[in-house]
Amino acid sequence: MTIRNLPDELHERLRAQAEANKRSLEAEVRSILIQAVVASSDGGLGHRMRARYGDYLGDDLSVERNHTASQEGVFTGSSPRRK
């Protein structure tokens, strides 16, 4: 397979991503293509979770919203709080 007219910026990003993942450019592109095709064909993570855990989760997807006010987060540390 040959891909022509690939923008230089994309090619450099792919090369950098491949290097970060310790793969050849060809192996990186192959991995990206595999992930894209698998995700589009099996419905993605949500579909796989429903298929695996659907018997435990049931079919009721309605969730009641909790309207109580949340509390402000408390962070401790040695540096003073800036405003």
Side-chain angles (χ1 to χ4, degrees), residues 10-37:
L10 179 57
H11 186 261
E12 287 306 314
R13 286 183 179 203
L14 285 169
R15 186 175 299 285
Q17 185 173 318
E19 187 177 320
N21 290 328
K22 297 180 176 28
R23 293 189 258 219
S24 68
L25 181 58
E26 180 182 346
E28 187 68 24
V29 172
R30 186 182 308 113
S31 174
I32 292 168
L33 289 171
I34 289 169
Q35 290 175 23
V37 170

Side-chain angles (χ1 to χ4, degrees), residues 5 29 32 44 47 54 62:
N5 301 320
V29 172
I32 292 168
H47 179 77
S62 62

